[in-house]
Amino acid sequence: MAAHQDGSEANPSQNLKHGLQSRHLTMISIAGVIGGSLFVGSGSIIYNTGPVVFLTYALGGLLVWFIMRMLGEMAVLNPDSGSFSTYADRAIGRWAGFSIGWLYWCTLAMLMGWEAYVAGKILNNWFPFIPIWAYMVLVIGGLVAVNLQNVKNYGEFEFWFALIKVIAIVIFLVIGSLAIMHLWPWGDVSAAGVTNLTAQGFMPNGASSVITALLGVMFAYIGAEIVTVAAAESENPSKEIRKASNSVVWRIVLFYVGSMFVAVCLIPHNNELLKDSTWGTYSVTLNALGVPEARHIVNFVVLTSVCSCFNSALYTCSRMLFSLAKRGDAPKSFASVNRKSSPWVGVLVSCFFSVIAVILTATKSMDVYDFFMLTTGAATLYVYLTIAYSQLCMRKKLEAEGVNIEFKMWMFPYLTYVVIFAIIAAILTMLIEGTYFKEVIYTTALFGIIVVSGLLSQKLGWGKERRETHLAQIHEEKLV
């Protein structure tokens, strides 16, 4: 067999292998909704929104729950590493699958650069004799090595990363609940009970702040859909997708809504430290409760969280490129797998923006990276809008063909329409209100460019031969 540049032998089947166990997928589904933004980024959202913020997280969580149910309906019938990109391709058209697949790849690939930067900053804060960019290289190199191995290695790393995050959140909820019930004996006496919930107004910045904060909330939730990608590499994809879709609601309620409720009860929403990204919601709350070295403890959790997010984003990006390449919507080499059945080219290419982040950090120009992040600020909403519309089209198509659908979206098509209109209304509100105007405009512009590329790809027939081969293979598998 031919050798690849990474020193491994080519896999003649050029297909992904089943290697993820049920416990891996359980933790991946849990980790998918716990990003570093829960521990750090939520602070600024609380500051700008007020105590009502936990209802904003509940509203965003409800939307994610519905989206996961729609995605689950499609994924149970057709588990695929391309997930919603593949379903958009089949339900709406090739251009749609192309567009949403590449937008999602851009979003996660750029996010990886920020995750590496945050990890490097935390490590540099502890051990300043090594520069941030060097730590970034170490994190990127280590997690690339993980993703070039058997998918089981990725699952194992995510299992332990997720476990640390879950334990940390549970401890936070226990300590916070004790303080709310006046059973926590240490710290600031005023940081107890629920007085902060209404002391300065429950909704100090008006109802519009709830909708405006939704973009930040949705950015925090990005990753919930990763389990539908990972499930394609498990022994029983349909079962795992069902389980993840059904359990997403309690994960959101416990981890996000629960955490935010505890935080706004125990600290004033206008605490200046909440605006400081080096502190974060958990650190400020635990510090007020007198927990020693709270900042360093939370920073350790944030470090594992951003490494987990980077690991999952790299995994998902490589699988998305693999799926796009199989369908003729990306260079053929992106579908190459090594002897460990890892799409090694996709893994390396997906680190593009991470390498840029390292260079910008080394040259003290990391603020330039803000522009890249602006272009994907509202990407989650567009991804969810596409999932909802894909489910609407595919469900109608399958019902017309008489296909038996066991795992269904509730109250179809009415609830699907409600979700579609709610997302469009949220985007329009953000444009009119203005706080996230740039994020929505830049993301829309990027999405528009990708859509035009997708339409050209479809019209000019790029990758047509690969696409026909892929569709024939799918048809053959269904017959078997």
Side-chain angles (χ1 to χ4, degrees):
M1 287 187 282
H4 285 313
Q5 292 177 10
D6 68 337
S8 58
E9 294 180 327
N11 185 338
S13 66
Q14 295 294 287
N15 282 318
L16 305 176
K17 302 295 184 184
H18 296 165
L20 292 174
Q21 300 173 14
S22 182
R23 69 181 179 89
H24 293 148
L25 286 163
T26 297
M27 278 301 183
I28 289 170
S29 66
I30 291 173
V33 292
I34 309 174
S37 56
L38 170 61
F39 305 102
V40 180
S42 57
S44 60
I45 299 176
I46 292 174
Y47 188 89
N48 294 320
T49 310
V52 72
V53 72
F54 75 89
L55 293 182
T56 305
Y57 275 92
L59 183 63
L62 184 65
L63 182 61
V64 172
W65 186 28
F66 291 155
I67 290 295
M68 283 297 293
R69 185 74 185 194
M70 294 182 213
L71 185 54
E73 177 183 297
M74 297 183 287
V76 165
L77 287 171
N78 298 288
D80 189 276
S81 61
S83 188
F84 48 84
S85 173
T86 301
Y87 309 139
D89 183 306
R90 296 175 188 175
I92 305 172
R94 180 180 178 183
W95 67 270
F98 176 103
S99 302
I100 206 64
W102 277 107
L103 177 67
Y104 192 70
W105 180 85
C106 286
T107 303
L108 290 191
M110 289 181 196
L111 185 60
M112 283 162 54
W114 264 118
E115 304 289 1
Y117 176 73
V118 173
K121 203 170 179 181
I122 292 173
L123 289 168
N124 176 260
N125 185 49
W126 291 340
F127 311 105
F129 53 87
I130 297 176
I132 294 175
W133 67 265
Y135 283 122
M136 292 171 70
V137 171
L138 184 66
V139 169
I140 293 168
L143 293 176
V144 164
V146 170
N147 278 271
L148 287 175
Q149 302 303 310
N150 188 291
V151 69
K152 185 179 179 181
N153 288 53
Y154 158 72
E156 205 62 45
F157 268 78
E158 270 310 283
F159 178 86
W160 293 107
F161 279 148
L163 191 60
I164 292 171
K165 290 190 283 187
V166 170
I167 291 172
I169 294 172
V170 170
I171 292 174
F172 175 79
L173 291 174
V174 169
I175 293 174
S177 297
L178 289 173
I180 289 173
M181 294 184 290
H182 298 276
L183 298 175
W184 182 255
W186 301 285
D188 186 357
V189 178
S190 64
V194 295
T195 54
N196 287 309
L197 199 60
T198 56
Q200 299 169 56
F202 182 63
M203 197 182 297
N205 298 317
S208 63
S209 65
V210 176
I211 302 299
T212 303
L214 189 62
L215 183 58
V217 170
M218 296 313 298
F219 191 76
Y221 282 139
I222 191 168
E225 64 288 336
I226 287 176
V227 69
T228 63
V229 175
E233 293 181 73
S234 67
E235 290 297 336
N236 195 337
S238 296
K239 177 186 174 184
E240 298 299 341
I241 291 168
R242 282 172 183 257
K243 188 163 65 173
S245 299
N246 287 330
S247 63
V248 70
V249 63
W250 72 259
R251 287 181 270 129
I252 289 172
V253 169
L254 179 64
F255 299 140
Y256 278 95
V257 181
S259 293
M260 293 304 103
F261 178 77
V262 166
V264 296
C265 282
L266 299 176
I267 55 175
H269 81 274
N270 57 355
N271 186 314
E272 290 297 319
L273 287 176
L274 289 172
K275 292 193 297 182
D276 187 346
S277 61
T278 63
W279 273 84
T281 307
Y282 276 46
S283 297
V284 175
T285 306
L286 293 175
N287 185 65
L289 294 176
V291 176
E293 301 297 333
R295 195 173 179 182
H296 290 303
I297 294 171
V298 173
N299 274 344
F300 170 73
V301 178
V302 172
L303 177 62
T304 62
S305 182
V306 294
C307 286
S308 167
C309 289
F310 186 102
N311 195 35
S312 284
L314 181 55
Y315 167 83
T316 309
C317 280
S318 64
R319 269 54 181 184
M320 189 60 72
L321 290 184
F322 176 86
S323 177
L324 287 167
K326 283 284 189 179
R327 288 179 271 141
D329 291 333
K332 186 178 180 180
S333 61
F334 290 3
S336 298
V337 299
N338 60 21
R339 60 185 176 86
K340 300 288 188 179
S341 296
S342 166
W344 68 279
V345 177
V347 169
L348 298 179
V349 170
S350 295
C351 292
F352 175 74
F353 289 106
S354 299
V355 173
I356 288 180
V358 170
I359 295 171
L360 291 175
T361 303
T363 56
K364 302 187 185 304
S365 307
M366 188 57 183
D367 56 329
V368 176
Y369 205 82
D370 290 341
F371 174 77
F372 293 126
M373 294 307 295
L374 278 175
T375 62
T376 60
T380 309
L381 292 174
Y382 282 113
V383 169
Y384 288 170
L385 182 62
T386 304
I387 291 173
Y389 189 62
S390 298
Q391 187 265 339
L392 180 68
C393 297
M394 185 173 285
R395 175 75 168 267
K396 290 180 176 179
K397 188 181 296 184
L398 293 174
E399 286 181 344
E401 294 172 357
V403 176
N404 180 36
I405 305 172
E406 295 182 2
F407 192 76
K408 296 181 179 181
M409 173 60 181
W410 309 289
M411 296 172 62
F412 181 83
Y414 308 109
L415 197 50
T416 300
Y417 279 122
V418 168
V419 170
I420 291 172
F421 291 140
I423 295 173
I424 294 173
I427 293 173
L428 292 175
T429 301
M430 289 169 193
L431 284 171
I432 296 169
E433 195 274 340
T435 303
Y436 290 109
F437 182 82
K438 285 185 178 180
E439 284 84 346
V440 175
I441 288 295
Y442 289 1
T443 305
T444 303
L446 174 64
F447 193 33
I449 292 169
I450 296 174
V451 168
V452 170
S453 301
L455 290 169
L456 282 174
S457 176
Q458 182 172 310
K459 186 176 180 63
L460 299 176
W462 294 335
K464 185 178 179 181
E465 186 178 336
R466 265 183 292 144
R467 181 176 179 81
E468 289 176 348
T469 301
H470 179 62
L471 292 175
Q473 182 182 359
I474 292 174
H475 181 68
E476 184 179 336
E477 288 173 355
K478 284 185 176 179
L479 290 177
V480 173

